[in-house]
Amino acid sequence: MYQEEIFSNVMTDAKRDGYDSLTHELKGMEAAIERFFTKIFETTSSLAERDFNISNF
């Protein structure tokens, strides 16, 4: 009985650690993608302003 409880606790901790690691990795990927799109849209908007003589809204 005691061994089953220890095993259950270890499995729960392993799942929690895996979940925390996964969410941390996903947040890093989200930040990288967000920076990428920000740079792309800033570049394209500045090119449009320059080429077509329009102002940024």
Side-chain angles (χ1 to χ4, degrees):
M1 186 74 171
Y2 181 70
Q3 291 176 345
E4 291 174 5
E5 186 176 328
I6 291 173
F7 180 75
S8 175
N9 290 341
V10 168
M11 290 301 292
T12 302
D13 290 343
K15 287 179 184 177
R16 186 177 300 123
D17 290 342
Y19 178 77
D20 291 342
S21 175
L22 181 62
T23 55
H24 180 69
E25 186 175 341
L26 286 174
K27 286 181 182 180
M29 290 173 62
E30 180 183 9
I33 290 171
E34 195 170 309
R35 284 192 309 267
F36 171 75
F37 280 123
T38 300
K39 288 194 180 285
I40 291 295
F41 291 135
E42 284 176 353
T43 301
T44 55
S45 67
S46 65
L47 287 174
E49 288 175 14
R50 184 192 70 204
D51 292 345
F52 300 110
N53 196 23
I54 58 174
S55 63
N56 193 2
F57 297 106

